[in-house]
Amino acid sequence: MPDTLRLLMMSVNLSGYGASNGFLGFFEKDTRYEPDMEESAVDFFMRYFRNDLESFVIASSVHANSDEVGHYGDAADDQRDSDLIQGLVQSGLARQFSYKKRFGRDPSSQKYTESVEKEWSDISLIKGDDFSSVCIRSLLVAKMVVYGLYGHCFIISPDWNLAFYPHDDFGFGVIGLGDNANVKVAHDFLAEADQLPGMHSIIRMPSKS
């Protein structure tokens, strides 16, 4: 597990995943947003890797800012967000706290910025089989849609040296970890995602470091 985290931190550009040397592509919506698009994307991921999920590892610094969750302004979305976060906090897959209480009330200060960056980069590894597929699904959906949820979230296959990540355009990206990433698995996944209604994939070869 520590080796997996070290490999992730060496391989992924946390400031911009697409700038990582091992970036292999992503899929996203290519039409107007339709209700449940995020759930369709997550269900595709869960279904595609249903036989492998138990061997996957979650690398996460996901946390919710309680000053924001439930305050987006749309009653239905706010209720959904609050329910998702409550479930994730209870399961141990996310933390929740007030940014104002922890970091102060001046977002423009250097101390505030440094504290937030430290919280984002505090990535820990969690064994996928320690949680139900329902909990993992909720985490992935929440990462795409919840207002006030922050941090990094990767679903890693140590066998294939691949890191998958959910993003807020309702899809997943893939980054190869190190020199032995299984590029074919990543590209097959993205090619299949390209067939989903309302989705399209961008497929890349890893850059030479």
Side-chain angles (χ1 to χ4, degrees):
M1 291 269 278
D3 290 341
T4 300
L5 184 57
R6 194 176 308 117
L7 188 58
L8 177 78
M9 301 304 278
M10 285 170 47
S11 304
V12 175
N13 183 337
L14 294 178
S15 300
Y17 301 158
S20 306
N21 285 339
F23 180 66
L24 298 172
F26 62 95
F27 78 88
E28 64 180 1
K29 66 175 175 59
D30 67 354
T31 58
R32 278 185 58 197
Y33 173 75
E34 299 286 345
D36 302 326
M37 261 188 169
E38 64 280 358
E39 301 205 347
S40 295
V42 171
D43 286 341
F44 165 72
F45 177 86
M46 301 289 286
R47 190 169 60 247
Y48 191 89
F49 292 115
R50 61 187 176 276
N51 295 325
D52 308 290
L53 284 174
E54 286 190 354
S55 66
F56 282 16
V57 175
I58 302 166
S60 172
S61 62
V62 170
H63 57 279
N65 178 3
S66 56
D67 305 327
E68 294 180 356
V69 172
H71 299 289
Y72 178 70
D74 179 275
D77 286 350
D78 284 341
Q79 187 61 55
R80 175 206 62 197
D81 289 359
S82 296
D83 290 345
L84 277 168
I85 294 304
Q86 184 179 7
L88 291 175
V89 170
Q90 287 175 349
S91 72
L93 274 174
R95 297 166 292 133
Q96 183 174 19
F97 55 85
S98 164
Y99 267 35
K100 289 176 183 173
K101 288 181 180 176
R102 183 169 291 196
F103 305 137
R105 295 179 175 271
D106 182 8
S108 62
S109 73
Q110 184 176 350
K111 183 181 179 187
Y112 185 100
T113 302
E114 289 174 351
S115 298
V116 171
E117 287 177 354
K118 184 175 183 297
E119 201 69 46
W120 275 62
S121 61
D122 185 18
I123 297 174
S124 56
L125 292 185
I126 308 163
K127 290 169 66 177
D129 60 1
D130 284 349
F131 295 89
S132 71
S133 59
V134 174
C135 289
I136 294 172
R137 181 183 184 276
S138 293
L139 173 66
L140 299 176
V141 169
K143 194 67 180 72
M144 291 184 188
V145 298
V146 169
Y147 175 70
L149 188 70
Y150 298 106
H152 301 286
C153 179
F154 300 98
I155 309 295
I156 298 173
S157 167
D159 295 335
W160 299 323
N161 286 335
L162 295 174
F164 302 86
Y165 60 88
H167 61 77
D168 57 10
D169 277 322
F170 312 115
F172 287 82
V174 196
I175 300 169
L177 306 180
D179 298 325
N180 298 313
N182 192 324
V183 175
K184 184 178 186 308
V185 168
H187 285 177
D188 286 351
F189 166 71
L190 293 172
E192 187 89 9
D194 194 51
Q195 307 301 312
L196 295 171
M199 299 287 180
H200 77 281
S201 293
I202 304 294
I203 295 176
R204 295 274 187 264
M205 291 303 296
S207 60
K208 304 296 182 187
S209 52

